[in-house]
Amino acid sequence: MAYMAASSTEDIYISWGSEATGLPVQIAIIPLTSPENEPTDADYHDATRDGTDARLLIGAGTDVVLTPGQYVVWGRLTAGTRRPVRRSGLLTIGTP
């Protein structure tokens, strides 16, 4: 599980591998209310590429400000009619 201070501004990364290079990527970060909950379309934010990773700037002063708590990080890419979604991991904001 990753940890980030609530006052921090930093990038979060999701690895997709070289087979996804050049495809549009998005990242969603939703509260951990139930491990089975998946994000809706409105939860996703356009991410940028950093090699084979998707990257999104989150935290204080960004469009993705998170209050203290636990979150599930999801990644999604678009490849024609395919739209694979991956649960990437857990993120704790604030005191772990």
Side-chain angles (χ1 to χ4, degrees):
M1 179 180 320
Y3 165 76
M4 183 175 140
S7 60
S8 184
T9 302
E10 57 190 88
D11 290 310
I12 191 163
Y13 294 86
I14 295 177
S15 181
W16 280 98
S18 60
E19 69 278 359
T21 300
L23 298 174
V25 291
Q26 296 176 307
I27 294 176
I29 304 169
I30 61 170
L32 177 66
T33 54
S34 171
E36 294 81 31
N37 286 350
E38 291 189 23
T40 66
D41 285 342
D43 294 320
Y44 283 96
H45 302 274
D46 291 336
T48 58
R49 285 285 187 177
D50 187 358
T52 60
D53 295 337
R55 178 178 67 184
L56 179 68
L57 184 65
I58 64 171
T62 73
D63 291 337
V64 186
V65 177
L66 303 170
T67 58
Q70 291 187 313
Y71 295 85
V72 181
V73 180
W74 295 82
R76 174 170 84 176
L77 61 85
T78 301
T81 59
R82 294 184 175 99
R83 187 173 252 180
V85 173
R86 289 186 184 165
R87 181 179 167 165
S88 177
L90 298 177
L91 174 64
T92 298
I93 303 294
T95 306

